[in-house]
């Protein structure tokens, strides 16, 4: 398993008490939604889940692992703990607390596009392939470097945010761009900016961003 991000997953460990509750959770019918009986165990599971979120946010510079939207200070209404192989499917339930299957994503990518589908998995039956980049059609949050596949450019002028996500030509970039409808960001933000074309600051920023996107290959 390749791990291109820091802190490395291999260096992370739950403490012994958290690991014990996770073990009980994994033995239950719905491991991620497991409700321990004792208040102490509820607190331990909560702290383990917070550590998971903090670790993954840190690995992606506090941005969404799929679209690079800034999640710094965004809070729980914008940020999801994401299970790459969906936790609701029987085949992947045992991976509910496996670090390489977890990530931090924005609500848009997680709820609106990813959901509980598994069309992005190439072989969903052979568990030996699960921790491999080549088993995923999209850019995997833990096995692939997002920046090897995309460049996200953005300029904010006052209240106007203009974004361009440049693909670098890989199959994974093409798939992920469609899967997460990343063009949305560009269309929405460019449309909003064009509505403000009489604003010289916005139109100058738009011009610069287009130039920059061209320099990055698109
Ligand atoms: Zn996102």
């Amino acid at each position: 398993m390749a791990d291109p991000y820091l802190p490395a997953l291999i260096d992370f460990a739950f403490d012994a008490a958290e690991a014990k509750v996770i073990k009980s959770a994994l033995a239950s019918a719905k491991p991620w939604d497991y409700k321990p009986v004792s208040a102490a165990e509820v607190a331990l599971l909560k702290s383990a889940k917070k550590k998971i979120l903090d670790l993954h946010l840190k690995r992606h510079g506090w941005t969404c692992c799929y679209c690079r939207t800034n999640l710094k200070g965004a809070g729980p209404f914008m940020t999801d703990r994401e299970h790459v192989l969906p936790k609701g499917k029987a085949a992947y339930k045992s991976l509910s607390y496996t670090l390489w299957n977890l990530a931090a994503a924005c609500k848009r990518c997680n709820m609106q596009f990813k959901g509980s589908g598994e069309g992005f998995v190439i072989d969903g039956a052979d568990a030996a392939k699960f921790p491999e980049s080549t088993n995923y059609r999209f850019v995997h949050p833990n096995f692939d470097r997002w920046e090897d596949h995309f460049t996200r450019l953005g300029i904010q002028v006052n209240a106007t945010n203009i974004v361009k996500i440049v693909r670098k030509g890989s199959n994974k970039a093409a798939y992920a761009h469609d899967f997460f409808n990343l063009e949305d960001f560009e269309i929405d933000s460019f449309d909003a900016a064009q509505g403000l074309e009489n604003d010289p600051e916005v139109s100058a920023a738009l011009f610069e961003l287009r130039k920059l996107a061209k320099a990055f290959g698109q």
Side-chain angles (χ1 to χ4, degrees), residues 70 153-163 201-202 205 209:
N70 182 23
L153 303 167
I155 295 181
Q156 180 166 345
V157 188
N158 305 325
T160 307
N161 223 327
I162 320 169
V163 175
E201 287 178 326
V202 173
L209 193 65

Side-chain angles (χ1 to χ4, degrees), residues 34-207:
Y34 174 65
K35 305 260 183 293
V37 216
S38 80
E41 285 187 332
V42 169
L44 283 166
L45 200 58
K46 200 175 164 194
S47 108
K49 287 182 177 182
K50 182 168 188 316
K51 282 184 186 173
I52 290 170
L53 183 64
D54 289 348
L55 171 71
H56 283 100
L57 280 172
K58 199 166 184 185
R59 283 163 60 81
H60 285 267
W62 289 271
T63 66
C64 170
C65 65
Y66 295 124
C67 72
R68 284 283 178 260
T69 289
N70 182 23
L71 294 175
K72 197 157 198 166
F77 296 109
M78 258 190 84
T79 312
D80 273 346
R81 262 162 292 215
E82 141 76 350
H83 289 79
V84 181
L85 293 167
K87 61 183 188 303
K89 296 266 187 306
Y92 312 131
K93 233 194 296 190
S94 63
L95 301 172
S96 293
Y97 294 87
T98 300
L99 293 175
W100 57 252
N101 194 43
L102 285 151
C106 74
K107 280 255 189 276
R108 176 196 174 276
C109 287
N110 194 28
M111 306 289 284
Q112 213 175 322
F113 295 102
K114 182 139 176 309
S116 54
E118 51 183 323
F120 58 87
V121 187
I122 292 168
D123 186 346
D126 183 355
K129 291 181 186 159
F130 293 170
E132 298 302 330
S133 159
T134 47
N135 201 33
Y136 299 85
R137 294 190 168 90
F138 62 31
V139 179
H140 191 284
N142 292 306
F143 307 144
D144 300 310
R145 261 186 89 237
W146 198 89
E147 289 70 19
D148 289 342
H149 301 274
F150 298 108
T151 305
R152 179 174 169 135
L153 303 167
I155 295 181
Q156 180 166 345
V157 188
N158 305 325
T160 307
N161 223 327
I162 320 169
V163 175
K164 175 93 192 147
I165 295 178
V166 180
R167 274 161 285 171
K168 292 187 174 175
S170 66
N171 289 339
K172 278 184 180 250
Y175 186 90
H177 197 265
D178 282 356
F179 187 85
F180 291 106
N181 208 359
L182 297 180
E183 205 173 309
D184 252 14
F185 288 108
E186 302 165 20
I187 293 170
D188 290 352
S189 63
F190 273 74
D191 280 358
Q194 260 143 10
L196 294 168
E197 60 208 3
N198 291 332
D199 180 328
E201 287 178 326
V202 173
S203 91
L206 202 55
F207 177 77

